[in-house]
Amino acid sequence: MALRKQSSRAISIAILLSLLLLTASSSDDDLDDLEELLAIDEEEEKRGSVAQVKPSEADVLSRAQRIVLELTNENVQRVIDGNELVLLLGYAPWCPRSAELMPRFAEAATVLREMGSKVVMAKLDADRHAKAASSLGIKGFPTLLLFVNGSAQSYTGGFTGEEIVIWTRKKTGAPVLRLTSIAEAEEFLQSHQIFVIGFFDHFEFTTEYLIYLFSRGVEYEEFLKAATTDNEIQFVEANAFNIAKVLFPDIGAEKQFIGLVKNESEKFEKFKVCEGRILQFVDYNKFPLLTTLTELNSARVYSSPIKTQIFIFAEAGDIEQLRLSLQDVARKFKSKIMFVYVDSAEDNLAKPFLTLLGLESDHPIVAAFDNRDGSKYVLETDLTPQNLEEFCSGLLHGTLSQYYKSEPKPDVSGLIEKVVSKTFDSSVLESSENVFLEVYTPWCIDCDATSKQIEKLAKHFEGVDNLKFGRYDASLNENPNLQINNYPTLLFYPAGDKFNPIKLSKKSSLKELVSFINEKVKIEDGRGAMTVDQEKKDEL
């Protein structure tokens, strides 16, 4: 069946189906009835096609209701055990992500049906049918599971309708789509944003048996293996040079050819055997020069094999003015640095990063992340092509200083000095004084009580020349010389040995802390240990 016809029918039915998926269907649904009704639908469509009668909305609605089988506590096991292939969507009516996935699942179900797939597409209201959900191991929403002869495997593909179709076909024995005419190639080109094209001169197509007979070369074996292993991208094979040329105009005169086609400025990428394996080629080249981060592609971006990534946070209007120049810079560092744009107005995408960096998005921000060791870098100058290129070059050559988030330098000092990342070295490590440092976070349960105790301690030793107290908010500051993951933490930095601080128990009493300081610090005014009366007075 023609690809264009599949697409148009898929869209019309998917729109209607998406409105129905969150409503419960009859618990008496049975797969045999489903097949019979769909067969009737197909026969009626054939007659309607001959008579050129457009199906009524009610007819389309009726088919949409039956295209995805509703599972219940009563029929779930019968459907899964009675079918070789079942793709199941476990959802909850109140789950926003389930609602987002519903129309995409509907579209995929319709397209697979039109393509003649034997996969039974089913859905389960896991909230309403908790017993069935529990028996299948569905704990979160939405959950997609593929059952092959009753055995479940987790879904690992993308979440658009096209990606669901691609993954399902790959996992059910159809990893490669084979095109046999120019018309098919032209229709395929219109409906796919990204794909891998393979052309192998040494095979024959036998229409009688509808099978391909190949001379099993290493290149083809790798192509087929890559198509099966990859979870996201459609692999397509052309059986003639002129068909392959429709998909990849610059194919050249090769008798065996593999290329990647993307819907962006760097549209065509040729695979070279010397570059390594096909999957590696696809992984390093499948993203645009400047990838826009979305909810749908975020997992793929984070798991990219290109571990050095530059994130550009800006408003949509700003990025459009810079897009071409950013792409020019990205092209120079292709396959070495991945460039990602994040709309700073999208809080759910931008805010986690900006919080990690401790920065505000009132202007374009460029940050680099090395996912091999977690190091971070920030472009301290304005975002211009020249500055960005120098930043990238320094990143690759290891000449940039790592970025550590910090609060601004404090303007005033008090009884307890505010220490930030930018002042930690000068205030603590390079200070000639003994330093008593309290490390805390605002969300720490015990920190408030400890802070009050340290304030009493600082007041008791106020005026001592060779001792000062500091307080450091670890939620807003980072420093490589202060690695703390438990709060509150009390550290004493002796004047003569700042790189070997003494850690004190946060459960220490005020009297114990005074005794410790008296022992470590030479106090010229003869200030002695705190008495029991003094301690009680301070506690009041």
Side-chain angles (χ1 to χ4, degrees), residues 359-393:
L359 298 174
E360 297 290 335
S361 60
D362 53 353
H363 63 280
I365 294 172
V366 177
F369 300 89
D370 189 333
N371 293 331
R372 291 166 295 191
D373 57 15
S375 56
K376 306 185 294 293
Y377 306 84
V378 169
L379 178 65
E380 303 287 355
T381 57
D382 292 337
L383 175 54
T384 66
Q386 182 179 350
N387 289 340
L388 181 59
E389 186 172 342
E390 291 175 356
F391 180 72
C392 294
S393 180

Side-chain angles (χ1 to χ4, degrees), residues 229-332:
T229 304
D230 176 82
N231 290 322
E232 304 168 11
I233 298 174
Q234 180 66 64
F235 280 57
V236 60
E237 182 181 339
N239 73 341
F241 179 83
N242 60 342
I243 297 174
K245 194 172 181 65
V246 171
L247 303 179
F248 204 109
D250 190 27
I251 189 173
E254 295 96 331
K255 291 189 175 182
Q256 295 192 50
F257 174 84
I258 297 172
L260 174 67
V261 181
K262 299 177 287 183
N263 186 24
E264 64 124 2
S265 57
E266 300 293 299
K267 186 168 184 175
F268 301 105
E269 301 287 349
K270 285 187 177 182
F271 171 73
K272 297 178 182 178
V273 176
C274 61
E275 290 179 351
R277 298 171 25 154
I278 297 174
L279 278 179
Q280 182 179 357
F281 161 74
V282 172
D283 284 342
Y284 274 82
N285 291 278
K286 64 185 177 182
F287 288 101
L289 288 173
L290 181 62
T291 299
T292 299
L293 188 71
T294 67
E295 292 281 4
L296 292 177
N297 70 6
S298 59
R300 299 197 296 276
V301 169
Y302 303 149
S303 62
S304 169
I306 304 176
K307 299 304 180 184
T308 303
Q309 301 181 342
I310 285 184
F311 281 68
I312 301 167
F313 303 88
E315 294 183 356
D318 293 331
I319 205 66
E320 286 311 313
Q321 296 179 16
L322 294 167
R323 184 176 295 276
L324 291 178
S325 59
L326 293 175
Q327 288 176 337
D328 289 340
V329 176
R331 190 176 289 109
K332 297 177 182 179

